[in-house]
Amino acid sequence: MQQIQPCWLRTLKLQNFRNFSSLNITVPKDPIIIAGPNGIGKTNILEAISLFSPGKGLRQSKLGIIKKSDVQDQGWFINADFEHQHQDLNIGTGLDLSTASERRIVKVNGEKSSQTALNDWIKILWQTPQMDRLFIDGMTIRRKFFDKLLVNFSPEHSKHLYRYDYALRERSKLLREGIMDQKWLAVLEQKMAQESIAITANRLDYLSQLQGFLEQEIEGFPKIAVSLEGDVETLIHENSATVAEERLQERLCQNRSRDSVMGGSKIGAHQSEFLVLNLDCNQQAEVCSTGEQKALLLTLIMANARLLATVHEVAPILLLDEVVAHLDENRRQVLFNEILKLGIQSWLTGTDVQVFEPLRKHGHFINLNER
Amino acid sequence: MTMISQEIDRLIKLLAKLPGLGPRSGRRMALHLIKKKTSVMDPLIAALQEVRATVQTCINCGNLDSAGKQCGVCLDEKRDATTICVVEGVDDLWAMERSNSYKGHYHVLGGVLSALDGVGPDDLTISKLQDRVKNDNVQEIIIALNATLEGQTTAHYLLERIYNPNIKVTRLAHGVPVGGELDYLDDGTISAALSSRRPF
């Protein structure tokens, strides 16, 4: 692997965040292990770090809920110093209650910024126990998961998704209410077709880049093939982008009667399905065992970390919450080795500090009981 | 028991309903008005009454003016009546006028299409625009709607509704703002600027 530029968190300060009135920690670039009993705030620290990327963080919580419950009339704030490509970088974010609307404020090196701009600075990947059901839950959850990973590579992708969702909702409302204004519907369907093709092309391009990393041998972890299936994908495979767009618009127009009864749209980028195949046993991920699914998910996350490091030449920060829960000893050891080999800052949590013993020499252990 | 009298409370609630204001700013404004009755409140009351009595919506373009049934822009014979600039609201018309670079007529659409907000073509002044295009000697229509999702959807819809091979339809350019640096622009803006490039 080529030499990647370092990006790691040096100090983290929390104020009124979840169970912490205030917390101030300083860490090295090495893997960081946060061990302790349930409810002590391990995941809260990972959640705080995840909020240095755009969006609602790894728990997807509303901003107001994050605030420490016994604090009145104050917002929550987090601030971190990073080493970013050998330069100092300071990012602060939080909920400012002095404004009427509940919005997250973001400052980069003391200057007001936007959530979207965070993506230009820091890339953060995470795995949480909630994601263990990724292959069992519906295709919408899986699609959102892959789209979120994709946005790390192509921030424009989120704009395409937003514009597509807008046109889809507008068209659905018109059809639901029987407003059959042909011109209005045609304009919305044109937008849906344009954005569908752009979204699907992005997804296919991302998967083709990712696949090479998914097939790399990591001892003890399954190799994976990820594919994307749906009507839009078929249109793109069989036609040029312009023709695919026209065909899709025609199909949307033909489906109006059906969609007005069934709701939504039968065709479009929101109907694409990400299929994950375990190449070792040639089985779809949803029929694999719980432990196997955890390993598949980890393979995906690690492959994304390697792809990010390769494409952007900047190391992502990895947040792994209770990650070793379903892994056998051999896989745990392989995972730790892989983390050390990648050389990216990784944050791991767990209730049992003993399972992290192999990282004792190279890792930095934080015991929240002592704070 | 409330500490604020009914009259002041009513004033605060009315002020808080104004765009961009909330209960806190409503209270601040109410207190300021009460403290400065002569210098602020009385002139404000007079101005409100005058606007209430004189300002009307122009029957032609939808602008707001006290010039009569038609606004000053429509009545100005020096302006080019063959060009109509379609804007979303009167505030956008004022923004165009501030630029001092457009000397044609306007058409205020009164909003943008939004099925989710219950705004359809009949809620906008699209039919009125079609009438103007038919009856007046219009040669160019400039669509100057905001570059938002709703604005651009409405622009495309308008294009379908007002299509006439004898009339040129243009839209405002999208791209690099005056004084802007490329490094700070998002990919979409740069892409729009590239596709809208023109010869030096």
Side-chain angles (χ1 to χ4, degrees):
Chain A
M1 185 182 289
Q2 67 207 89
Q3 187 63 44
I4 58 170
Q5 296 289 319
C7 177
W8 53 282
L9 189 153
R10 280 197 304 240
T11 62
L12 176 70
K13 294 172 191 164
L14 310 183
Q15 191 183 332
N16 301 332
F17 190 89
R18 295 285 187 187
N19 63 325
F20 298 107
S21 294
S22 74
L23 180 77
N24 194 341
I25 50 179
T26 302
V27 291
K29 188 192 169 195
D30 305 328
I32 293 129
I33 295 96
I34 310 172
N38 293 332
I40 202 161
K42 303 183 294 295
T43 308
N44 295 344
I45 293 176
L46 299 198
E47 183 185 25
I49 300 169
S50 72
L51 287 165
F52 291 117
S53 63
K56 294 179 181 174
L58 58 76
R59 277 199 179 106
Q60 294 290 295
S61 296
K62 287 184 178 173
L63 295 177
I65 291 174
I66 295 173
K67 182 169 67 75
K68 193 167 187 293
S69 55
D70 57 357
V71 172
Q72 303 293 324
D73 300 328
Q74 287 182 54
W76 56 264
F77 299 96
I78 53 179
N79 186 286
D81 288 314
F82 295 88
E83 175 163 328
H84 181 263
Q85 301 182 356
H86 307 292
Q87 304 278 323
D88 292 335
L89 171 69
N90 179 272
I91 301 181
T93 185
L95 173 64
D96 184 1
L97 291 183
S98 64
T99 56
S101 59
E102 197 176 86
R103 288 189 72 174
R104 184 144 82 94
I105 50 166
V106 175
K107 283 189 174 185
V108 177
N109 288 332
E111 300 282 333
K112 268 195 176 175
S113 188
S114 66
Q115 282 191 54
T116 320
L118 289 173
N119 221 350
D120 298 335
W121 295 100
I122 309 282
K123 308 285 183 190
I124 301 173
L125 296 170
W126 59 77
Q127 181 173 345
T128 67
Q130 288 75 26
M131 290 157 70
D132 288 354
R133 293 185 53 82
L134 183 73
F135 303 115
I136 300 167
D137 288 334
M139 65 178 188
T140 308
I141 305 282
R142 230 163 9 256
R143 200 170 45 245
K144 282 185 176 173
F145 167 78
F146 278 102
D147 279 332
K148 180 146 183 66
L149 290 174
L150 203 170
V151 168
N152 274 318
F153 300 92
S154 168
E156 278 293 303
H157 187 65
S158 59
K159 291 182 186 167
H160 288 301
L161 290 169
Y162 176 71
R163 289 195 285 255
Y164 176 74
D165 185 55
Y166 156 79
L168 172 65
R169 285 188 296 128
E170 286 274 299
R171 177 180 178 271
S172 301
K173 178 93 190 281
L174 291 183
L175 294 178
R176 195 168 58 241
E177 298 193 349
I179 304 169
M180 303 306 276
D181 185 318
Q182 304 298 314
K183 289 191 169 76
W184 194 354
L185 285 166
V187 167
L188 292 170
E189 284 161 0
Q190 188 190 9
K191 282 204 180 301
M192 281 177 70
Q194 276 173 357
E195 300 302 341
S196 273
I197 299 297
I199 289 166
T200 309
N202 274 347
R203 287 171 177 163
L204 291 169
D205 182 46
Y206 159 68
L207 287 188
S208 70
Q209 291 185 62
L210 185 66
Q211 193 55 47
F213 292 90
L214 289 170
E215 287 169 7
Q216 279 180 10
E217 182 79 44
I218 305 175
E219 189 197 338
F221 277 81
K223 288 181 191 166
I224 296 177
V226 184
S227 58
L228 187 62
E229 288 189 6
D231 291 335
V232 184
E233 288 72 15
T234 310
L235 281 173
I236 284 184
H237 285 312
E238 292 174 355
N239 304 282
S240 68
T242 318
V243 174
E245 197 177 302
E246 284 169 8
R247 296 269 156 81
L248 181 54
Q249 197 179 340
E250 285 165 16
R251 297 269 295 272
L252 285 163
C253 182
Q254 288 160 6
N255 287 347
R256 281 179 194 170
S257 305
R258 181 260 173 212
D259 292 343
S260 64
V261 177
M262 304 296 285
S265 170
K266 190 186 174 192
I267 189 169
H270 68 296
Q271 297 286 12
S272 301
E273 179 154 26
F274 282 92
L275 297 170
V276 178
L277 182 72
N278 183 340
L279 290 172
D280 290 356
C281 58
N282 203 29
Q283 282 187 321
Q284 291 295 332
E286 63 262 34
V287 296
C288 292
S289 71
T290 313
E292 208 65 15
Q293 287 185 12
K294 185 106 182 172
L296 289 168
L297 186 54
L298 262 172
T299 307
L300 267 174
I301 299 285
M302 300 302 274
N304 270 280
R306 287 196 297 272
L307 178 59
L308 267 175
T310 307
V311 172
H312 290 279
E313 297 175 21
V314 174
I317 292 174
L318 200 54
L319 310 175
L320 302 173
D321 189 24
E322 298 284 357
V323 74
V324 294
H326 290 281
L327 297 180
D328 57 41
E329 198 177 334
N330 180 43
R331 277 190 173 154
R332 278 206 296 267
Q333 188 59 55
V334 172
L335 173 68
F336 295 154
N337 289 344
E338 189 65 14
I339 285 170
L340 291 170
K341 200 167 85 183
L342 275 173
I344 60 179
Q345 192 181 46
S346 308
W347 294 67
L348 299 98
T349 66
T351 47
D352 182 9
V353 72
Q354 294 301 320
V355 296
F356 297 104
E357 272 312 306
L359 286 172
R360 181 62 70 182
K361 269 188 188 171
H362 306 283
H364 176 81
F365 283 67
I366 295 174
N367 188 346
L368 289 176
N369 278 326
E370 293 167 0
R371 288 173 184 269
Chain B
M1 197 177 92
T2 177
M3 297 289 287
I4 301 175
S5 76
Q6 274 186 348
E7 296 77 10
I8 298 175
D9 190 48
R10 186 162 160 257
L11 175 63
I12 291 171
K13 281 179 179 158
L14 286 170
L15 289 169
K17 283 182 187 170
L18 294 175
L21 301 185
R24 189 179 293 181
S25 40
R27 281 196 294 274
R28 217 163 39 225
M29 285 182 73
L31 275 174
H32 184 73
L33 287 168
I34 294 163
K35 279 182 194 164
K36 309 256 179 185
K37 281 182 184 169
T38 314
S39 60
V40 179
M41 192 192 275
D42 289 345
L44 181 65
I45 291 168
L48 286 170
Q49 284 173 337
E50 197 176 353
V51 167
R52 175 75 182 84
T54 60
V55 172
Q56 315 177 40
T57 302
C58 173
I59 55 163
N60 199 34
C61 72
N63 187 14
L64 293 172
D65 204 343
S66 54
K69 285 185 178 177
Q70 289 200 5
C71 70
V73 174
C74 290
L75 290 171
D76 187 348
E77 291 180 356
K78 287 180 191 162
R79 299 188 77 115
D80 176 11
T82 65
T83 306
I84 293 178
C85 177
V86 182
V87 291
E88 193 176 315
V90 174
D91 46 352
D92 296 326
L93 186 155
W94 290 343
M96 292 287 290
E97 282 297 287
R98 278 200 305 274
S99 75
N100 206 26
S101 54
Y102 176 67
K103 296 297 172 198
H105 281 208
Y106 290 98
H107 187 86
V108 178
L109 212 53
V112 282
L113 292 176
S114 174
L116 295 169
D117 295 326
V119 182
D122 296 342
D123 300 306
L124 308 177
T125 58
I126 297 173
S127 302
K128 173 77 186 159
L129 177 64
Q130 283 177 308
D131 291 343
R132 288 181 72 185
V133 172
K134 266 186 211 164
N135 302 330
D136 302 349
N137 182 29
V138 177
Q139 289 171 12
E140 181 178 357
I141 296 171
I142 303 168
I143 298 181
L145 299 182
N146 293 321
T148 57
L149 276 176
E150 292 87 348
Q152 293 311 297
T153 304
T154 310
H156 285 114
Y157 177 79
L158 262 185
L159 201 60
E160 295 282 323
R161 286 279 300 262
I162 59 175
Y163 176 74
N164 181 330
N166 300 319
I167 297 173
K168 189 164 119 183
V169 180
T170 56
R171 66 162 173 82
L172 294 187
H174 295 169
V176 184
V178 175
E181 293 179 42
L182 289 183
D183 195 29
Y184 288 90
L185 297 181
D186 64 275
D187 302 351
T189 307
I190 291 178
S191 169
L194 260 177
S195 57
S196 308
R197 71 188 185 280
R198 61 180 189 187
F200 251 113

